Amino acid sequence: MTAHQLILKQRAELLAVLCGGGSAEPLDCVLDLLLACEVLVWEDYLSIRVAEKPLCSNVRQLLDMVYDKGEDACSLLLAAMSQVLPEEQKAGLCFGKECAVVGKDRPDTATLTLLADRPVLVRKLRDNIDGALNALLTTGCFTIKDCDAVQLPVYTPSQQVRKLLDQVRFKGETAAKTLLQYLEQTETTRPNPEDKENHLSANCLLYQKKLRSSVAAQSHSLSTYGGTGRFSLDDIYTDGLLEVTDGSGETLTLGLEDVVGPLGTLNEDADTVLVSGEAGSGKSTLLQRLHLLWAREALLTNTFLLFPFSCRKLNAEHRELSLKELLFLHCCWPDRGQDEVFQFILDHPNLALFTFDGLDEFKQGFTDEERHCCPTKQVPIPVLLFNLLQGTLMKGVMKVATSRPQAVGPSLKRYLRKEVLLKGFSPGGIDCFVKKHHSDPAMARRVIESLQANTVLLSLCHIPVFCWIVTKCHQELLGGQDVIPQTITDVYLLVLQHFFQRKSPQSQGVLGKAWLEEHLDTVLKLGQLALEGLETSCYVFSGYELQRNGLKEQDVSLGFLIYCNDLSVTDCKRYEFLHITLQCFFAALYVVLNRNSDRSAVSRLFQSQYRQLSSLSQRCLGHCIDSSVEEVESHVTETPNLQITAQFVSGLLSQRHHNLLLECCPIAVRERKVKQVVKSLSKGMQRHFKSIPRPVEGEKKSMHAMPSFVWLIKCIYEMQDNSIAQETMAKLDVEHLKLTYCNIGPVECTALAYVLKYLRNPVGLQLDNNSVGDVGAEQLLPCLHICHSL
């Protein structure tokens, strides 16, 4: 079969391997070889390597262009790909007969030499780019601006070298000669490539340099909130409270450097550290800070290689992968010596660190039923991930995973080295964050003063995502809102109004009182998308899914959905909500405002917390969605996300927001849904009260709160209806209320005080092993009159 025919027949496979893990490095290496053997001229290269186009478009352009150049060009393209691709990716492909490049005369100019020797120059300059730039700068061939353009952090070391070669070529013959002379002078000091041990070390050091550069580029800008990349992580990052409980039960405060340190270790034989915290507590940002400091060699200095993984991205990976493919395709592709680098990782597990962000967002729950210990065997992603976490695979590699506390069950906890709790901001952290967010000190001072004047809002700001919302919407807060935010729902309605106001075509972006009704169509479409995602544990959406829900470009441009750069590995763009809590908020808006939903939609949302879903009926919120929606593979919805959604539903049905929802939701429909929420909350509380055991003779009657007790109280608080709180607490007859280890912070204290002040009889309130703090204690003041002990 001719080379022409091979390219045509294998076009889809060739496209796939060159686009592999979303890295442009394989394509760039092929282009280097084709430029060197004159299959491509410089104009061809520029038309192929267009940065603004997707990688797959550039690869298609290369295949089309070479195909048109004839049989010899096709043979050389196949030969170049055979040389560049690793053995595992060449399996099943045919590259035709071996094709030797016909010897050509050496170029007579230095600029032409840069093209002819481009593959060799890229390898030589990767470890010497700083020296090369200094030489060009000293001789006046380059300016500081030229050097900065080459060393942009977004470029990998290989990309920096290619950018340098391109710049030098355009500078002319003098610059090209200077660069070649510099390489000749440094050639004698190079390590001997025949020395196997030295060669391996060079490959590993080269890979470490590329990995550091890649991790630094990904971690430089804060992307957890906002999605626009406008904030440097250095400028905005604020430390949260990190705590760990040691073997004696004592709580220790940690610094960022202690996350993977020995402090608080409970299981010396385990390798996985869990960083747990509620939604919005800053887990992803903390991990991002850890990555950036490692890339700068400012932290984790004993870690040679760090591999960051996103569980959202792993959810989108449907192929079976080996450990080697997981590391290189999802993190960073080695420019050379892939097998040697991987062997180094296997031989030195103590020098590597794996991080997994958002373990609670992984579609499948942890299981240790299927053992897998072969690093080169391809298996499904869940099997690979779970065996890494439990240590069956790559024992000795330290792993750091983030998750919400409720998502980690006993089966995984027995494999944990320690669990670090992230408690959000301290009062000082809130002030620090606000000051960093506002460059104007006067504005920052006004925001801080407004927070201190509203202790309820201040208690919310201990959760970083709420603090970000309040800080971002400061103009609405300082502008004298009709209703001062008291609940989480209030805060999210504020950000909803802020985003619509920012895009309002009216003068000065002022919204009318019926602003929600004006944007109801967009809210419902976003809400349906959010709800569909929650019920299938889906947090990343394709363009097709947006179109299916009727979302258009103007809806996306509002800012609630952001583009996932690192997840768009194909032609299809992928999007995610600004934050998981915002997805829950839109899902709640849909449940409340959708007039066509099943009459039992609200009550089922609350009931799903208590009943086990059978394998035959996992679509617990399917009734909320139009029946015409295409059925997809279902997964059990995560309880924490449903709880957040139920909180928002309770808040939206509060009398406080009656006027806002008046034109969006008929009064009769709204009242019916309010009754359903009240009934669900009452039944939920009765389950707890029925579980109270009879007191032992001589002891006080006590109740230990079950996991969802605090959540039910938070739902009651979101409704802001005193009569509901009073009727609920009237049925509680205990002398001692134990709320230990319930993740209670200032936000929960506000809700507890609102409800517990209606207790009929005095109680002893036990709140040990929580994060109450001074602000939380202040929030408890309204209920202290009913507490005979605290």
Side-chain angles (χ1 to χ4, degrees), residues 241-244 259 273-279 281-284 286 359-360 400-408 413 416 418-424 743:
L241 292 170
L242 286 169
E243 293 181 355
V244 69
V259 170
V273 174
L274 179 69
V275 178
S276 63
E278 297 300 330
S281 59
K283 301 182 293 295
S284 297
L286 178 142
L359 194 60
D360 53 309
V400 177
T402 65
S403 173
R404 278 177 280 180
Q406 303 94 325
V408 180
K413 284 201 171 186
L416 296 182
K418 63 181 176 182
E419 181 175 1
V420 178
L421 301 178
L422 179 57
K423 301 294 186 72
N743 293 313

Side-chain angles (χ1 to χ4, degrees), residues 86 88 193-205 207 304-305 324 328 334-348:
E88 59 265 27
E194 299 301 322
D195 186 338
K196 181 69 176 178
E197 183 176 348
N198 201 12
H199 184 55
L200 173 63
S201 177
N203 282 339
C204 291
L205 288 171
Y207 182 66
F304 187 75
L305 298 172
K324 182 179 180 181
F328 293 165
D335 292 330
R336 64 186 185 195
Q338 293 96 335
D339 293 335
E340 293 176 81
V341 172
F342 186 60
Q343 190 60 50
F344 175 84
I345 297 169
L346 295 178
D347 292 340
H348 303 89

Side-chain angles (χ1 to χ4, degrees), residues 3 27 41 77 83 153 228 259 290 361 371 403 457 474 556 573 575 581 624 643 690 715 722 728:
L27 173 62
V41 295
L77 171 61
Q83 181 177 332
T228 58
V259 170
L290 200 69
E361 296 179 5
R371 291 288 189 266
S403 173
L457 195 57
H474 66 280
V556 176
K573 288 185 177 180
Y575 302 85
T581 53
C624 301
Q643 289 183 338
K690 288 179 180 179
C715 289
N722 293 337
T728 303

Side-chain angles (χ1 to χ4, degrees), residues 711-722:
W711 161 69
L712 288 168
I713 284 181
K714 288 167 74 174
C715 289
I716 294 171
Y717 174 73
E718 290 293 317
M719 294 201 77
Q720 290 288 292
D721 190 325
N722 293 337

Side-chain angles (χ1 to χ4, degrees), residues 292-354:
L292 185 61
L293 293 178
W294 172 81
R296 293 174 175 172
E297 301 183 57
L299 199 68
L300 304 174
T301 52
N302 293 328
T303 300
F304 187 75
L305 298 172
L306 184 148
F307 296 93
F309 297 99
S310 161
C311 288
R312 285 192 180 186
K313 186 172 181 179
L314 295 179
N315 267 336
E317 180 62 82
H318 301 297
R319 297 173 294 175
E320 291 192 353
L321 297 177
S322 66
L323 175 63
K324 182 179 180 181
E325 292 168 333
L326 179 73
L327 298 179
F328 293 165
L329 293 180
H330 277 265
C331 289
C332 182
W333 185 264
D335 292 330
R336 64 186 185 195
Q338 293 96 335
D339 293 335
E340 293 176 81
V341 172
F342 186 60
Q343 190 60 50
F344 175 84
I345 297 169
L346 295 178
D347 292 340
H348 303 89
N350 58 308
L351 299 181
L353 173 67
F354 298 167

